[in-house]
Amino acid sequence: MKVIKIGGGCLKDGPAANVIIDLITRRGKGDIFVLSAFYGVTDILISGIDLALSDEENIPDIISRLKGLHHTIIKELINDNTVKKQLSKSLGDIYAKLERYYYGISFTREATARMQDMIATFGERISAVILSKAVAARGGDSQYVLPEDLGMISDGKFMDASALMEKTGENIQAWLGRHMTPEKILFVPGFYGISESGEITTFGRGGSDYSAAVVAAGSGADALEIWKDTEGFMTADPDNIPHCRLIPKLTYEEAAELAYTGAGILHPRTVEPVKNAGIDIAIKNTYNPDAPGSLITREVPRAENIIKSVSYTTDVAILKIYAPGVGARFGFLSSILAPLGRAGINVKSVVTSQTCISLILSRKDIHAGHEAVQAIRPVPFRKAVVVTDVALVSIVGEGLHTNRGIAAKCFSAVSGADVNIEMISSGTSNAALYFLVKEKRLDDTIQALHKIFFDS
Ligand code: ASP
Ligand code: MG
């Protein structure tokens, strides 16, 4: 049995979804399909929360936009009128429920994390119903099961939950034992789970990759496939380096590092559950299903020059905290980090020297982070400064720290391009080296690195 995750990019419109439905009906017997929402739907759902808060008269528009979007797709997927009627009955119930949540928010003038997470899951609830019906209309033996009914148990953290693997695995196996057959094509909405106290919690944006990994590990699947509208992991972002190449094989660590900085190929935590279970992840292009794609697995031959990919993110900013002797004052770091933690701000990385601590945060958190440390009393530092015009570059390849000359090669290429390195964060991972450059020098940096590691 395989677990296959279908991304929102493959569910862009009717024709795209048709391709998927054909593939699933032909090849998917006995497999489990974990779904994203149709393309753009989660964004509409989430932006609808603010619209509903500002004026309840916006709510009918949000609902009709969602109905319209899905209706256009259904028209191209399903011809049979009886099936269409059954489907519109099920969807009607779902839209009605969603509408009540929006009115709830508007009425109470409050969008709690609980409500936001509940609303965000509706795209996946809808796509599961539609795909399951579309496969049935083509004669497939299909069914869908919601994560709450499957027993996908989460730790209850809203918007950033993790699955409790042991319980979830027991529940999934019990459910499959009762319902699964070698003929059946099973659909599971991705993106969320349910806590032990019954709270619907999402795994963060892009979380259906992680859902699929949890289902694969929990069910003891033979393999996890991620179906996307791209080839797989590349040696660089094709926007910067049009001649970049596919990476045929990666280790779990390399994939995890690339998921963290790279161009959103995978949710950052996808690798965790399958790595422990020793299940491979294959990235497959739905437009070219027999192409090799990228395989993430345990035993991988090292690249000739160790480095597999050059990647970056611009979603970083630095909070620089200046204080004398910070490297020698015990408790100093925690006095800064604790208020950030209480404000719900994630610190991506910390680099310290004797006079300055640099915290790398997401750009969206930087102002809240700055305020949180400015509010500390008594003020424990001389000044706190925000730097936003930076980008984080990483070179990824397992073994880079234990092989001589890689860092030297990297930094001499960067300085050869006349780019200044603002900060280096040589992490604990043996698969990545990170550093920051000015954002306006990002493209030159990527060009220089790709050239030295891949073009010469
Ligand atoms: N639909 C959710 C999102 O857009 C989850 C996912 O697609 O992975 O973030
Ligand atoms: Mg995604």
Side-chain angles (χ1 to χ4, degrees), residues 264-452:
I265 300 268
L266 278 186
H267 181 280
R269 281 183 286 122
T270 310
V271 171
E272 282 165 35
V274 281
K275 179 184 166 191
N276 297 336
I279 299 170
D280 290 353
I281 310 177
I283 315 280
K284 291 272 175 197
N285 184 348
T286 34
Y287 293 101
N288 191 4
D290 295 315
S294 295
L295 185 72
I296 302 163
T297 179
R298 197 182 307 264
E299 294 297 330
V300 173
R302 291 230 163 130
E304 206 180 312
N305 58 27
I306 307 292
I307 299 306
K308 298 257 179 85
S309 187
V310 174
S311 76
Y312 67 87
T313 174
T314 53
D315 182 22
V316 285
I318 317 172
L319 183 55
K320 288 193 163 181
I321 305 204
Y322 293 92
V326 289
R329 285 161 59 190
F330 65 81
F332 184 76
L333 196 53
S334 74
S335 73
I336 301 290
L337 292 179
L340 292 175
R342 279 195 298 275
I345 291 167
N346 177 43
V347 177
K348 293 181 181 235
S349 182
V350 183
V351 179
T352 65
S353 72
Q354 287 312 306
T355 53
C356 177
I357 292 181
S358 293
L359 306 174
I360 302 180
L361 309 185
S362 168
R363 273 195 201 171
K364 68 172 177 359
D365 291 335
I366 193 72
H367 291 294
H370 193 205
E371 277 171 20
V373 300
Q374 298 275 24
I376 303 173
R377 293 291 177 273
V379 181
F381 47 78
R382 193 158 58 73
K383 62 176 178 176
V385 177
V386 166
V387 183
T388 49
D389 59 344
V390 286
L392 181 117
V393 177
S394 73
I395 57 171
V396 173
E398 188 136 359
L400 63 78
H401 291 304
T402 43
N403 278 267
R404 250 186 308 148
I406 309 272
K409 198 169 164 183
C410 166
F411 294 131
S412 74
V414 176
S415 87
D418 207 19
V419 175
N420 184 43
I421 291 172
E422 305 290 314
M423 191 166 128
I424 300 175
S425 163
S426 178
T428 46
S429 159
N430 195 22
L433 175 69
Y434 298 100
F435 57 93
L436 293 166
V437 297
K438 287 279 184 230
E439 189 178 353
K440 62 175 189 291
R441 302 308 312 276
L442 178 61
D443 197 56
D444 293 331
T445 308
I446 302 292
Q447 301 287 345
L449 288 172
H450 199 270
K451 187 153 183 233
I452 194 134

Side-chain angles (χ1 to χ4, degrees), residues 5 7-9 36 205-209 228 264-267:
K5 187 262 172 169
S36 277
R205 291 305 305 268
S208 49
D209 293 333
K228 294 187 69 76
I265 300 268
L266 278 186
H267 181 280

